Amino acid sequence: MKKDICAYTYEQLESEMQAFGEPKFRARQIYEWLHGKLVEDFSEMRNIPKNLQDRLRESYVILPVTMIERQESRLDGTMKFLFGLHDGNMVESVLMRYHHGNSVCISSQAGCRMGCRFCASGIGGLKRNLSASEMLGQVYQIQKITGERVSNVVVMGTGEPLDNYRNLLLFLKILSGEHGLNISQRSITVSTCGIVPKIYELAKEHLQITLALSLHGATQEKRRELMPVADAYGLEEVLNACDSYFQETGRRMTFEYSLIHGVNDTEKDIQDLTAILKPRNCHLNLIPVNSVKERNFTRPASKNAQNFKNKLEKSGINVTIRREMGADIDGACGQLRRRYLQD
Ligand code: SAH
């Protein structure tokens, strides 16, 4: 079987090429073609001799993701992409254009097995993990298709990144490596539902990425109602793991909280949130829930959401409401892919 040449770090590709009987500088050239100039075929590697291109093709594949559909928001230029993988699976990615640069949201798995009650991505379960190169491919394709530099990457699309830990780590290293797109680790955010042992492992890597924890409930009971993963890892355990992430990396945690009308937007929720977040150096991001056809949740009225935020702010919490982007293009996470799966 041919090997996936995009899934090696720079150092790994060097040893791979040495074993292939090639000098070290070839690894640099090939790596730059793959991760800097984003080519999709060995024949595009102009400084690689033809016979070496042919030998590479015999042993390795470049497996790009391919665009199936693109939607562009008329409101703010946000673009949503549906990409096909080599085995027929599909994933969604989103490009958001901000003043400070272009931010890409990628998927880490085809489907998801976490089953959060309000989320569309988990409805069909997990199909499979994405390889590091399939995660990179989403960023690369978006940069190539738009011709615009990607400056921020968030792993907040479909899937639980810490449930695909090894590939995620490889992806992060290649994405932020100096011979590739060289995206600053501080401009990369990974969002997790709270897989505790993996949070500890990630902390030990001492990367400078931001870790976002999907909280959604400020007590163990409330969280369990919304997120089955809370049965495996209790709230206290999760918060301890987040504290360790902050201690090990010096990176302030972000907590995400999908605001759901009548479920987690009461006065009591404000008190509970304050109790757990006040002692911590962190940021809270409120996301008015996107309604999902198959799910029965609605967002609070915008003045109530604003009220919720103001009260938290008054009690000393560093909090924002996430600005909604691309409201006119298949709203919630995972819905573009779902539409295709049902067709
Ligand atoms: N599995 C990871 C990343 C995926 S989703 C995680 O759980 O963090 C990124 C964020 O969007 C998570 O906080 C997730 O809970 C939230 N989310 C999922 N569906 C949503 C919806 N319908 N409305 C609002 N936020 C949603």
Side-chain angles (χ1 to χ4, degrees):
M1 231 182 62
K2 293 186 187 185
K3 295 187 272 188
D4 175 3
I5 197 165
C6 288
Y8 296 106
T9 62
Y10 185 74
E11 293 72 25
Q12 287 167 344
L13 189 64
E14 272 187 346
S15 12
E16 192 72 18
M17 283 303 109
Q18 262 172 331
F20 207 64
E22 288 296 319
K24 266 191 170 180
F25 74 89
R26 288 287 181 217
R28 180 171 49 74
Q29 291 176 327
I30 295 167
Y31 195 92
E32 282 172 358
W33 282 115
L34 294 171
H35 301 287
K37 303 188 185 95
L38 315 183
V39 302
E40 289 166 34
D41 196 286
F42 293 105
S43 62
E44 295 177 71
M45 301 181 170
R46 285 194 310 272
N47 55 4
I48 305 295
K50 175 84 173 50
N51 64 348
L52 178 54
Q53 288 179 5
D54 293 340
R55 282 179 53 225
L56 287 169
R57 198 175 292 111
E58 277 161 29
S59 302
Y60 300 97
V61 272
I62 305 174
L63 281 178
V65 303
T66 48
M67 189 174 78
I68 297 174
E69 187 181 327
R70 163 167 61 160
Q71 300 179 337
E72 179 163 5
S73 164
R74 297 204 186 111
L75 304 171
D76 51 34
T78 295
M79 284 184 195
K80 197 154 195 173
F81 297 85
L82 186 69
F83 289 117
L85 311 179
H86 63 88
D87 64 350
N89 273 300
M90 288 177 285
V91 293
E92 272 180 51
S93 327
V94 182
L95 166 72
M96 291 155 290
R97 295 183 165 117
Y98 296 102
H99 295 301
H100 61 264
N102 281 350
S103 186
V104 166
C105 172
I106 66 141
S107 295
S108 55
Q109 297 179 314
C112 182
R113 60 190 182 119
M114 296 299 142
C116 297
R117 305 270 181 250
F118 47 84
C119 179
S121 298
I123 293 171
L126 175 67
K127 299 291 184 236
R128 68 168 173 86
N129 281 332
L130 299 197
S131 65
S133 44
E134 287 167 332
M135 290 186 247
L136 290 165
Q138 297 169 61
V139 179
Y140 294 178
Q141 284 300 324
I142 291 178
Q143 179 152 313
K144 284 181 77 167
I145 291 165
T146 60
E148 296 172 23
R149 206 185 106 78
V150 172
S151 51
N152 293 266
V153 173
V154 299
V155 188
M156 286 191 184
T158 296
E160 168 47 48
L162 299 191
D163 189 36
N164 183 13
Y165 185 77
R166 274 184 43 169
N167 292 343
L168 174 80
L169 211 57
L170 192 52
F171 161 76
L172 294 172
K173 287 182 176 164
I174 296 174
L175 187 70
S176 61
E178 59 172 337
H179 301 283
L181 285 193
N182 199 4
I183 294 183
S184 156
Q185 289 185 354
R186 289 169 175 266
S187 304
I188 303 174
T189 298
V190 171
S191 176
T192 178
C193 63
I195 314 275
V196 166
K198 296 297 172 193
I199 296 178
Y200 283 108
E201 262 186 69
L202 187 64
K204 293 279 179 218
E205 291 288 330
H206 295 119
L207 302 179
Q208 283 299 292
I209 61 166
T210 298
L211 186 62
L213 188 277
S214 294
L215 191 59
H216 307 320
T219 62
Q220 170 63 5
E221 296 68 47
K222 193 56 77 69
R223 208 165 174 264
R224 268 187 60 193
E225 282 173 31
L226 296 169
M227 308 174 72
V229 68
D231 287 329
Y233 306 109
L235 180 58
E236 208 174 299
E237 262 184 282
V238 173
L239 292 173
N240 288 339
C242 293
D243 291 343
S244 155
Y245 189 84
F246 177 58
Q247 281 152 19
E248 290 285 342
T249 63
R251 299 291 289 159
R252 192 177 71 160
M253 286 291 306
T254 293
F255 291 95
E256 295 164 280
Y257 192 91
S258 296
L259 262 182
I260 310 171
H261 177 60
V263 174
N264 65 3
D265 65 345
T266 65
E267 289 295 326
K268 168 81 167 42
D269 294 304
I270 296 178
Q271 288 162 19
D272 292 338
L273 267 175
T274 305
I276 59 171
L277 299 186
K278 186 84 187 277
R280 300 189 153 83
N281 183 356
C282 63
H283 178 85
L284 175 64
N285 204 358
L286 302 172
I287 317 166
V289 78
N290 286 306
S291 66
V292 173
K293 200 171 72 219
E294 296 87 342
R295 308 290 204 215
N296 218 356
F297 292 115
T298 54
R299 51 173 63 184
S302 97
K303 90 172 178 323
N304 294 344
Q306 197 60 47
N307 226 342
F308 192 88
K309 174 195 170 233
N310 291 346
K311 286 183 177 164
L312 285 165
E313 214 157 40
K314 279 213 184 77
S315 58
I317 308 298
N318 184 334
V319 53
T320 47
I321 298 182
R322 181 185 292 172
R323 198 175 118 211
E324 193 167 17
M325 306 280 285
D328 53 336
I329 47 168
D330 267 307
C333 339
Q335 298 211 43
L336 181 57
R337 173 171 167 272
R338 280 213 62 69
R339 180 152 62 66
Y340 266 81
L341 292 177
Q342 282 155 357
D343 282 352

